[in-house]
Amino acid sequence: QILAEPLFRKALSLAIDRTRFASGFTSAGEPGYGILNEMYIYDPYEGLSYRQSEGAKNALVQLYGLEGKHFSDPYAAITGYDPLLARQYLQQSYEQTTASGLYDGESPIVLQLSVFQNEDIYVQMYHFLRDALESACRGTGYEGKVTLEMVVDEDYYAAMESGLTDIIFSTWGGDAYNPYGVLYNCYCDAGVREYPNQMEYGFDAAKV
């Protein structure tokens, strides 16, 4: 249930050093800060990338709280990694969840990461994420109470769709000339694919 709390999710995101993850576990990957990357073209006549548009840049600058900061180029300063802010969000989350009764403040919280196989690369990625999460929790009310558990499940997509796991590694393709496609394919599809809304268990696109 703790993943339903927005501040906890923000903290988990900010606790991950994307640059280290991408360079350590992918052959040619780069860190991503939003859903749409450089591949998506919003103006096919000029070949203009959505990610390079001012609107797209400003959206991420605002998302990571860099507007008004002393950067010559706030967009270029985005790393997606801020362990101090992650720790601050976690403490706020702890205070809010205990006050609301979502969390009793003491019980162990085990988040399940489902992976396809027990290969060394998956184990390494799991340890990287577990260490990032547990490190961010230090000094907060969650310290010593939150951890990540790896579970091998060859049908992990179905488990995610059914709400039987918490976190998976996933990829998606998309039409470079249709930036909206990735949003529908991953989040807003009412059920025409094998795994409708595979990223958002409990979100009914047919009604919302």
Side-chain angles (χ1 to χ4, degrees):
Q1 294 184 25
I2 202 67
L3 285 178
E5 208 287 296
L7 284 173
F8 189 94
R9 292 203 307 274
K10 287 182 179 181
L12 176 57
S13 175
L14 291 169
I16 299 170
D17 187 335
R18 291 160 165 74
T19 300
R20 282 186 58 205
F21 188 90
S23 63
F25 303 116
T26 70
S27 58
E30 296 180 358
Y33 310 118
I35 294 176
L36 302 180
N37 61 21
E38 300 283 350
M39 293 175 60
Y40 293 92
I41 306 300
Y42 79 94
D43 185 341
Y45 300 102
E46 298 293 333
L48 301 178
S49 165
Y50 166 78
R51 179 51 49 216
Q52 290 302 317
S53 70
E54 288 305 308
K57 290 181 178 181
N58 289 337
L60 291 188
V61 168
Q62 292 176 31
L63 175 66
Y64 291 102
L66 297 183
E67 70 272 31
K69 299 290 179 68
H70 297 292
F71 295 111
S72 58
D73 184 351
Y75 179 74
I78 294 173
T79 65
Y81 179 54
D82 192 334
L84 294 179
L85 185 57
R87 194 165 286 121
Q88 177 182 321
Y89 281 156
L90 283 170
Q91 182 58 32
Q92 293 177 20
S93 169
Y94 179 82
E95 294 170 0
Q96 290 185 19
T97 55
T98 53
S100 68
L102 178 67
Y103 178 49
D104 64 15
E106 294 297 332
S107 299
I109 297 174
V110 181
L111 302 178
Q112 182 171 299
L113 168 67
S114 292
V115 298
F116 179 65
Q117 292 178 333
N118 193 28
E119 294 181 352
D120 185 56
I121 187 64
Y122 287 122
V123 174
Q124 290 181 44
M125 291 192 293
Y126 155 68
H127 282 297
F128 184 94
L129 296 178
R130 185 198 64 185
D131 293 348
L133 173 61
E134 293 182 359
S135 175
C137 286
R138 293 189 191 119
T140 76
Y142 289 123
E143 182 173 3
K145 302 179 179 74
V146 180
T147 192
L148 190 66
E149 174 186 67
M150 189 182 85
V151 175
V152 176
D153 181 358
E154 292 185 357
D155 205 14
Y156 67 100
Y157 269 107
M160 189 68 176
E161 180 198 11
S162 303
L164 299 177
T165 191
D166 298 310
I167 303 169
I168 62 172
F169 292 118
S170 182
T171 61
W172 56 75
D175 183 348
Y177 292 97
N178 179 17
Y180 301 101
V182 69
L183 302 178
Y184 285 101
N185 292 340
C186 296
Y187 295 97
C188 303
D189 187 336
V192 298
R193 295 185 353 272
E194 182 180 1
Y195 298 119
N197 309 126
Q198 64 189 32
M199 304 292 181
E200 298 291 337
Y201 173 73
F203 175 74
D204 187 349
K207 297 179 180 179
V208 179

